Coordinates of all heavy atoms in Angstrom, one line a residue:
R9 N 141.7 84.2 114.2 CA 140.9 84.8 115.4 C 141.5 86.0 115.9 O 140.8 86.9 116.3 CB 141.0 83.7 116.5 CG 140.1 83.9 117.6 CD 140.3 82.9 118.7 NE 139.3 83.2 119.9 CZ 138.1 82.7 120.0 NH1 137.7 81.8 119.0 NH2 137.4 82.9 121.1
S10 N 142.9 86.2 115.8 CA 143.5 87.4 116.3 C 143.2 88.6 115.4 O 142.8 89.7 115.9 CB 145.0 87.2 116.4 OG 145.7 88.3 116.7
V11 N 143.3 88.4 114.1 CA 143.0 89.5 113.2 C 141.6 89.9 113.3 O 141.2 91.1 113.2 CB 143.5 89.2 111.8 CG1 142.7 88.1 111.2 CG2 143.5 90.4 110.9
M12 N 140.7 88.9 113.5 CA 139.2 89.3 113.5 C 138.9 90.0 114.8 O 138.2 91.1 114.8 CB 138.4 88.0 113.5 CG 136.9 88.3 113.4 SD 135.9 86.8 113.3 CE 136.2 86.4 111.5
A13 N 139.6 89.7 115.9 CA 139.4 90.4 117.2 C 139.9 91.8 117.0 O 139.3 92.8 117.5 CB 140.1 89.7 118.3
D14 N 141.0 92.0 116.3 CA 141.6 93.4 116.2 C 140.7 94.2 115.3 O 140.5 95.4 115.7 CB 143.0 93.3 115.6 CG 144.0 92.6 116.5 OD1 143.8 92.5 117.7 OD2 145.0 92.1 116.0
V15 N 140.2 93.8 114.2 CA 139.5 94.6 113.4 C 138.1 94.9 114.0 O 137.5 96.0 113.8 CB 139.3 93.9 111.9 CG1 138.4 92.7 112.0 CG2 138.8 95.0 111.0
L16 N 137.5 94.0 114.7 CA 136.3 94.3 115.4 C 136.5 95.3 116.4 O 135.6 96.2 116.6 CB 135.7 93.0 116.0 CG 135.2 91.9 115.0 CD1 134.6 90.7 115.7 CD2 134.0 92.5 114.1
D17 N 137.6 95.1 117.2 CA 137.9 96.2 118.2 C 138.0 97.6 117.5 O 137.6 98.6 118.0 CB 139.2 95.8 118.9 CG 138.8 94.9 120.2 OD1 137.7 94.3 120.1 OD2 139.7 94.7 121.0
L18 N 138.7 97.6 116.4 CA 139.0 98.9 115.7 C 137.6 99.5 115.3 O 137.4 100.7 115.5 CB 140.0 98.7 114.6 CG 141.4 98.5 115.0 CD1 142.2 98.0 113.7 CD2 142.0 99.8 115.5
Q19 N 136.7 98.7 114.7 CA 135.5 99.2 114.2 C 134.5 99.7 115.3 O 133.9 100.7 115.2 CB 134.8 98.2 113.4 CG 135.5 97.9 112.0 CD 134.8 96.8 111.2 OE1 134.2 95.9 111.8 NE2 134.7 97.0 109.9
W20 N 134.5 98.9 116.4 CA 133.5 99.1 117.4 C 133.9 99.8 118.7 O 133.2 100.4 119.4 CB 132.8 97.8 117.7 CG 132.0 97.1 116.7 CD1 132.5 96.4 115.7 CD2 130.6 97.3 116.4 NE1 131.5 96.0 114.8 CE2 130.4 96.5 115.2 CE3 129.6 98.0 116.9 CZ2 129.1 96.5 114.7 CZ3 128.3 97.9 116.4 CH2 128.1 97.2 115.3
R21 N 135.3 99.7 118.9 CA 135.8 100.3 120.2 C 136.8 101.5 119.9 O 136.9 102.4 120.8 CB 136.5 99.2 120.9 CG 135.5 98.2 121.5 CD 136.2 96.9 121.9 NE 137.4 97.1 122.8 CZ 137.4 97.2 124.1 NH1 136.1 97.2 124.7 NH2 138.4 97.3 124.8
L22 N 137.5 101.6 118.8 CA 138.5 102.5 118.5 C 138.1 103.2 117.2 O 138.9 103.2 116.2 CB 139.9 101.9 118.4 CG 140.3 101.1 119.7 CD1 141.5 100.2 119.4 CD2 140.7 102.1 120.8
P23 N 136.9 103.8 117.1 CA 136.5 104.3 115.7 C 137.4 105.5 115.2 O 137.6 105.6 114.0 CB 135.1 104.8 116.0 CG 135.0 105.1 117.5 CD 135.9 104.0 118.1
R24 N 137.9 106.3 116.1 CA 138.8 107.4 115.7 C 140.1 106.8 115.0 O 140.6 107.3 114.0 CB 139.1 108.3 116.8 CG 138.0 109.0 117.4 CD 138.4 110.0 118.6 NE 137.3 110.5 119.3 CZ 137.3 111.3 120.3 NH1 138.6 111.6 120.8 NH2 136.3 111.8 121.0
T25 N 140.7 105.9 115.7 CA 141.9 105.2 115.2 C 141.6 104.4 113.9 O 142.3 104.5 112.9 CB 142.5 104.2 116.2 OG1 142.7 104.9 117.4 CG2 143.7 103.6 115.7
W26 N 140.4 103.8 113.8 CA 140.0 103.1 112.6 C 139.8 104.0 111.5 O 140.2 103.8 110.3 CB 138.7 102.4 112.9 CG 138.1 101.6 111.7 CD1 136.9 101.7 111.2 CD2 138.7 100.5 111.0 NE1 136.7 100.8 110.2 CE2 137.8 100.1 110.0 CE3 140.0 99.9 111.1 CZ2 138.1 99.0 109.1 CZ3 140.2 98.8 110.2 CH2 139.4 98.4 109.2
A27 N 139.4 105.3 111.6 CA 139.2 106.2 110.7 C 140.6 106.6 110.0 O 140.7 106.7 108.8 CB 138.6 107.5 111.1
V28 N 141.6 106.6 110.8 CA 142.9 106.9 110.4 C 143.5 105.7 109.5 O 144.1 105.9 108.5 CB 144.0 107.2 111.5 CG1 145.4 107.5 111.0 CG2 143.5 108.4 112.3
V29 N 143.1 104.5 110.0 CA 143.5 103.3 109.2 C 142.8 103.4 107.9 O 143.5 103.1 106.8 CB 143.1 102.1 110.0 CG1 143.4 100.8 109.1 CG2 143.8 102.0 111.2
L30 N 141.6 103.6 107.8 CA 140.8 103.6 106.5 C 141.3 104.7 105.6 O 141.3 104.6 104.3 CB 139.3 103.9 106.8 CG 138.6 102.7 107.5 CD1 137.1 103.1 107.7 CD2 138.6 101.5 106.7
G31 N 141.8 105.8 106.1 CA 142.4 106.9 105.3 C 143.8 106.6 105.0 O 144.5 107.5 104.3
L32 N 144.4 105.5 105.3 CA 145.7 105.0 104.9 C 146.8 105.9 105.5 O 147.9 106.1 105.0 CB 145.9 105.0 103.4 CG 144.9 104.2 102.6 CD1 145.2 104.2 101.1 CD2 144.7 102.8 103.1
G33 N 146.4 106.5 106.7 CA 147.3 107.5 107.3 C 148.3 106.8 108.3 O 149.1 107.5 108.9
C34 N 148.2 105.5 108.5 CA 149.1 104.8 109.4 C 149.2 103.3 109.1 O 148.5 102.9 108.2 CB 148.5 104.9 110.9 SG 147.0 104.0 111.2
E35 N 150.1 102.6 109.7 CA 150.3 101.3 109.4 C 149.2 100.4 110.2 O 149.0 100.5 111.3 CB 151.7 100.8 110.0 CG 152.9 101.5 109.2 CD 153.1 100.9 107.8 OE1 152.4 99.9 107.5 OE2 153.7 101.7 107.0
P36 N 148.5 99.6 109.4 CA 147.5 98.8 110.0 C 147.9 97.9 111.0 O 147.2 97.7 112.1 CB 146.9 98.0 108.8 CG 147.2 98.8 107.6 CD 148.5 99.5 107.9
W37 N 149.2 97.4 111.0 CA 149.7 96.5 112.1 C 149.8 97.3 113.3 O 149.6 96.7 114.4 CB 151.0 95.9 111.6 CG 152.2 96.8 111.6 CD1 152.7 97.5 110.5 CD2 153.0 97.2 112.7 NE1 153.7 98.2 110.9 CE2 153.9 98.1 112.2 CE3 153.0 97.1 114.1 CZ2 154.9 98.7 113.0 CZ3 153.9 97.6 114.8 CH2 154.9 98.5 114.4
L38 N 150.1 98.5 113.3 CA 150.3 99.3 114.5 C 148.9 99.5 115.2 O 148.8 99.5 116.4 CB 151.0 100.7 114.2 CG 151.3 101.6 115.4 CD1 152.1 100.8 116.3 CD2 152.0 102.8 114.8
A39 N 147.9 99.8 114.4 CA 146.6 100.0 114.9 C 146.1 98.7 115.6 O 145.4 98.7 116.6 CB 145.6 100.4 113.8
R40 N 146.5 97.5 114.9 CA 146.0 96.3 115.5 C 146.7 96.1 116.9 O 146.1 95.5 117.8 CB 146.5 95.1 114.5 CG 145.6 95.0 113.3 CD 146.0 93.7 112.6 NE 145.8 92.6 113.4 CZ 146.3 91.4 113.2 NH1 147.0 91.2 112.1 NH2 146.2 90.3 114.0
R41 N 148.0 96.5 117.0 CA 148.7 96.4 118.3 C 147.9 97.2 119.4 O 147.9 96.7 120.5 CB 150.1 96.9 118.2 CG 151.1 95.9 117.5 CD 151.4 94.8 118.3 NE 152.0 95.1 119.6 CZ 153.3 95.5 119.7 NH1 154.1 95.4 118.8 NH2 153.7 95.8 121.0
V42 N 147.5 98.3 119.0 CA 146.7 99.2 120.0 C 145.4 98.4 120.4 O 145.1 98.5 121.5 CB 146.4 100.5 119.4 CG1 145.5 101.4 120.3 CG2 147.7 101.3 119.1
A43 N 144.8 97.9 119.4 CA 143.5 97.2 119.7 C 143.8 96.1 120.7 O 143.0 95.7 121.7 CB 142.9 96.6 118.4
S44 N 144.9 95.3 120.5 CA 145.2 94.2 121.3 C 145.6 94.7 122.7 O 145.2 94.1 123.7 CB 146.4 93.4 120.7 OG 146.8 92.4 121.6
L45 N 146.4 95.8 122.8 CA 146.7 96.3 124.1 C 145.6 96.8 125.0 O 145.6 96.7 126.2 CB 147.7 97.5 123.9 CG 149.1 97.3 123.6 CD1 149.9 98.6 123.2 CD2 149.8 96.6 124.8
S46 N 144.5 97.3 124.3 CA 143.4 97.8 125.0 C 142.2 96.9 125.1 O 141.1 97.4 125.6 CB 142.9 99.1 124.3 OG 142.5 98.9 123.0
R47 N 142.3 95.7 124.8 CA 141.2 94.7 124.6 C 140.5 94.5 126.0 O 139.3 94.3 126.1 CB 141.6 93.4 124.1 CG 140.4 92.4 123.9 CD 140.7 91.5 122.8 NE 140.9 92.2 121.5 CZ 141.9 92.0 120.7 NH1 142.7 91.0 120.9 NH2 142.0 92.7 119.6
R48 N 141.3 94.6 127.2 CA 140.7 94.3 128.4 C 139.9 95.5 129.0 O 139.2 95.3 130.0 CB 141.8 93.9 129.5 CG 142.5 92.6 129.0 CD 143.4 92.2 130.2 NE 144.1 91.0 129.9 CZ 144.8 90.3 130.8 NH1 144.8 90.7 132.0 NH2 145.5 89.2 130.5
L49 N 140.0 96.6 128.4 CA 139.3 97.7 128.9 C 137.9 97.7 128.6 O 137.4 97.1 127.5 CB 139.9 99.0 128.4 CG 141.4 99.3 128.7 CD1 141.8 100.7 128.1 CD2 141.5 99.5 130.2
G50 N 137.0 98.3 129.4 CA 135.6 98.4 129.1 C 135.4 99.4 128.0 O 136.2 100.1 127.5

């Protein structure tokens, strides 16, 4: 449930960060942490 929430957030709410992830330019776990930190935001 946690990993699904993170990847959905990255795809639909953090598209610029997700683009860096897809380009292998950063650690995926770090992008997931950002998704979790920002989940409560509109």
Side-chain angles (χ1 to χ4, degrees):
R9 189 182 183 93
S10 175
V11 67
M12 185 175 288
D14 292 342
V15 70
L16 290 178
D17 275 15
L18 286 167
Q19 288 183 325
W20 294 86
R21 291 162 50 85
L22 301 163
R24 300 180 187 177
T25 304
W26 179 238
V28 179
V29 174
L30 292 177
L32 310 183
C34 68
E35 293 292 340
W37 70 262
L38 184 56
R40 287 188 56 195
R41 284 286 303 277
V42 174
S44 178
L45 281 171
S46 59
R47 183 153 301 135
R48 295 191 182 189
L49 295 178

